Amino acid sequence: MAIVLGLLAALAGVGVWWWRLQMAADAARGVADAAGEVRGFWRRMLWNRKAGRNQLDMVDDPREAAAAMLVVLAQYDGALTDAEQTLIKQQMHDTFDASGSEAEELLARGRWLARDTGVDPAQA
């Protein structure tokens, strides 16, 4: 009988430790979830600050502003042609020492900014 009671006590001890480990794992998951929610809150807050603003207000790089201005001016008489795009990239290279890929990125960013502004250079 003592052996049976000893086995039951050992089994109960293992069960208690198993239950405590599960509780600790649940607490760790709760902490991780809370940290994820804080990080998500921070990202949502930053996104909400950017979402309601004009894209041109968020331009920090003067090269991007110049690219957007050149694209808007080039589109004054119609759609942006290949010759105008080549000239803008050449000006980015000459003025800002931008490599070919940087000039291409600046032109793409300028076109994106010019598209989203809705500014008509004839009216401005």
Side-chain angles (χ1 to χ4, degrees), residues 61 63 66 88-104 106:
D61 189 359
R63 300 178 311 162
I88 290 172
K89 286 189 278 188
Q90 183 63 39
Q91 290 299 318
M92 291 288 135
H93 174 70
D94 293 345
T95 306
F96 298 123
D97 292 327
S99 66
S101 63
E102 287 177 335
E104 189 71 37
L106 287 170

Tab-separated table of all heavy atoms in Angstrom, residues 61 63 66 88-104 106:
chain	number	residue	atom	x	y	z
A	61	ASP	N	14.214	65.344	-47.690
A	61	ASP	CA	15.387	65.393	-48.554
A	61	ASP	C	15.180	66.460	-49.633
A	61	ASP	O	14.219	66.387	-50.404
A	61	ASP	CB	15.598	64.020	-49.192
A	61	ASP	CG	16.912	63.906	-49.941
A	61	ASP	OD1	17.660	64.898	-49.991
A	61	ASP	OD2	17.189	62.808	-50.467
A	63	ARG	N	16.701	66.809	-52.309
A	63	ARG	CA	16.801	66.197	-53.634
A	63	ARG	C	15.445	65.665	-54.080
A	63	ARG	O	15.084	65.774	-55.251
A	63	ARG	CB	17.835	65.077	-53.621
A	63	ARG	CG	19.218	65.554	-53.237
A	63	ARG	CD	20.227	64.444	-53.178
A	63	ARG	NE	19.728	63.325	-52.404
A	63	ARG	CZ	20.233	62.094	-52.461
A	63	ARG	NH1	21.238	61.831	-53.250
A	63	ARG	NH2	19.744	61.125	-51.724
A	66	ALA	N	13.368	68.640	-55.116
A	66	ALA	CA	13.778	69.121	-56.439
A	66	ALA	C	13.268	68.193	-57.534
A	66	ALA	O	12.808	68.652	-58.583
A	66	ALA	CB	15.299	69.234	-56.505
A	88	ILE	N	15.910	64.904	-66.529
A	88	ILE	CA	15.789	65.028	-65.071
A	88	ILE	C	16.831	64.158	-64.388
A	88	ILE	O	17.507	64.596	-63.443
A	88	ILE	CB	14.363	64.668	-64.611
A	88	ILE	CG1	13.369	65.744	-65.070
A	88	ILE	CG2	14.309	64.501	-63.096
A	88	ILE	CD1	11.921	65.386	-64.820
A	89	LYS	N	17.012	62.919	-64.860
A	89	LYS	CA	18.027	62.046	-64.267
A	89	LYS	C	19.427	62.629	-64.468
A	89	LYS	O	20.261	62.564	-63.563
A	89	LYS	CB	17.940	60.647	-64.871
A	89	LYS	CG	16.745	59.872	-64.369
A	89	LYS	CD	16.785	58.423	-64.796
A	89	LYS	CE	16.266	58.286	-66.201
A	89	LYS	NZ	16.098	56.898	-66.635
A	90	GLN	N	19.664	63.218	-65.628
A	90	GLN	CA	20.975	63.843	-65.888
A	90	GLN	C	21.207	65.019	-64.948
A	90	GLN	O	22.299	65.194	-64.413
A	90	GLN	CB	21.056	64.307	-67.351
A	90	GLN	CG	22.392	64.887	-67.734
A	90	GLN	CD	23.514	63.864	-67.636
A	90	GLN	OE1	23.323	62.705	-67.976
A	90	GLN	NE2	24.658	64.289	-67.162
A	91	GLN	N	20.172	65.823	-64.707
A	91	GLN	CA	20.298	66.948	-63.782
A	91	GLN	C	20.530	66.465	-62.350
A	91	GLN	O	21.305	67.077	-61.606
A	91	GLN	CB	19.048	67.834	-63.847
A	91	GLN	CG	18.916	68.612	-65.136
A	91	GLN	CD	20.093	69.555	-65.334
A	91	GLN	OE1	20.546	70.203	-64.405
A	91	GLN	NE2	20.591	69.602	-66.563
A	92	MET	N	19.867	65.386	-61.960
A	92	MET	CA	20.099	64.819	-60.630
A	92	MET	C	21.546	64.345	-60.494
A	92	MET	O	22.169	64.518	-59.449
A	92	MET	CB	19.153	63.643	-60.358
A	92	MET	CG	17.714	64.017	-60.192
A	92	MET	SD	17.441	64.841	-58.631
A	92	MET	CE	16.414	66.182	-59.164
A	93	HIS	N	22.074	63.760	-61.574
A	93	HIS	CA	23.457	63.291	-61.546
A	93	HIS	C	24.426	64.475	-61.489
A	93	HIS	O	25.365	64.476	-60.688
A	93	HIS	CB	23.740	62.423	-62.773
A	93	HIS	CG	25.165	62.020	-62.904
A	93	HIS	ND1	25.755	61.112	-62.048
A	93	HIS	CD2	26.127	62.410	-63.765
A	93	HIS	CE1	27.019	60.969	-62.394
A	93	HIS	NE2	27.266	61.741	-63.436
A	94	ASP	N	24.187	65.478	-62.326
A	94	ASP	CA	25.111	66.620	-62.390
A	94	ASP	C	25.046	67.487	-61.135
A	94	ASP	O	26.070	67.916	-60.610
A	94	ASP	CB	24.794	67.491	-63.614
A	94	ASP	CG	25.091	66.775	-64.921
A	94	ASP	OD1	25.799	65.745	-64.888
A	94	ASP	OD2	24.593	67.229	-65.973
A	95	THR	N	23.857	67.747	-60.645
A	95	THR	CA	23.687	68.681	-59.528
A	95	THR	C	23.965	68.029	-58.185
A	95	THR	O	24.631	68.617	-57.328
A	95	THR	CB	22.262	69.258	-59.541
A	95	THR	OG1	21.999	69.813	-60.828
A	95	THR	CG2	22.113	70.328	-58.486
A	96	PHE	N	23.453	66.817	-57.988
A	96	PHE	CA	23.540	66.174	-56.682
A	96	PHE	C	24.536	65.019	-56.637
A	96	PHE	O	24.616	64.319	-55.637
A	96	PHE	CB	22.165	65.649	-56.253
A	96	PHE	CG	21.140	66.723	-56.095
A	96	PHE	CD1	19.962	66.681	-56.821
A	96	PHE	CD2	21.338	67.783	-55.234
A	96	PHE	CE1	19.007	67.664	-56.683
A	96	PHE	CE2	20.387	68.770	-55.088
A	96	PHE	CZ	19.218	68.713	-55.814
A	97	ASP	N	25.265	64.785	-57.712
A	97	ASP	CA	26.201	63.654	-57.803
A	97	ASP	C	25.511	62.332	-57.485
A	97	ASP	O	26.073	61.458	-56.824
A	97	ASP	CB	27.407	63.843	-56.873
A	97	ASP	CG	28.311	64.986	-57.328
A	97	ASP	OD1	28.397	65.192	-58.551
A	97	ASP	OD2	28.896	65.654	-56.470
A	98	ALA	N	24.291	62.196	-57.945
A	98	ALA	CA	23.527	60.963	-57.731
A	98	ALA	C	23.970	59.926	-58.751
A	98	ALA	O	24.160	60.238	-59.927
A	98	ALA	CB	22.043	61.229	-57.861
A	99	SER	N	24.153	58.695	-58.284
A	99	SER	CA	24.488	57.616	-59.210
A	99	SER	C	23.266	57.326	-60.081
A	99	SER	O	22.181	57.874	-59.869
A	99	SER	CB	24.909	56.372	-58.431
A	99	SER	OG	23.825	55.867	-57.697
A	100	GLY	N	23.445	56.439	-61.047
A	100	GLY	CA	22.335	56.115	-61.943
A	100	GLY	C	21.122	55.568	-61.205
A	100	GLY	O	19.987	55.958	-61.468
A	101	SER	N	21.371	54.662	-60.251
A	101	SER	CA	20.245	54.087	-59.507
A	101	SER	C	19.627	55.117	-58.556
A	101	SER	O	18.405	55.151	-58.379
A	101	SER	CB	20.695	52.859	-58.728
A	101	SER	OG	21.672	53.209	-57.762
A	102	GLU	N	20.455	55.979	-57.948
A	102	GLU	CA	19.904	57.020	-57.076
A	102	GLU	C	19.063	58.009	-57.878
A	102	GLU	O	18.004	58.439	-57.418
A	102	GLU	CB	21.032	57.775	-56.366
A	102	GLU	CG	21.710	56.999	-55.271
A	102	GLU	CD	22.868	57.775	-54.670
A	102	GLU	OE1	23.445	58.644	-55.359
A	102	GLU	OE2	23.189	57.515	-53.504
A	103	ALA	N	19.545	58.382	-59.076
A	103	ALA	CA	18.785	59.300	-59.923
A	103	ALA	C	17.452	58.675	-60.329
A	103	ALA	O	16.422	59.354	-60.363
A	103	ALA	CB	19.601	59.680	-61.152
A	104	GLU	N	17.483	57.375	-60.615
A	104	GLU	CA	16.245	56.666	-60.976
A	104	GLU	C	15.271	56.655	-59.801
A	104	GLU	O	14.072	56.883	-59.973
A	104	GLU	CB	16.584	55.235	-61.400
A	104	GLU	CG	15.433	54.481	-61.988
A	104	GLU	CD	15.042	54.988	-63.363
A	104	GLU	OE1	15.920	55.366	-64.149
A	104	GLU	OE2	13.822	55.022	-63.625
A	106	LEU	N	15.201	58.829	-57.292
A	106	LEU	CA	14.725	60.196	-57.074
A	106	LEU	C	13.638	60.560	-58.078
A	106	LEU	O	12.648	61.216	-57.727
A	106	LEU	CB	15.884	61.186	-57.162
A	106	LEU	CG	16.845	61.186	-55.977
A	106	LEU	CD1	18.079	62.020	-56.293
A	106	LEU	CD2	16.156	61.723	-54.733
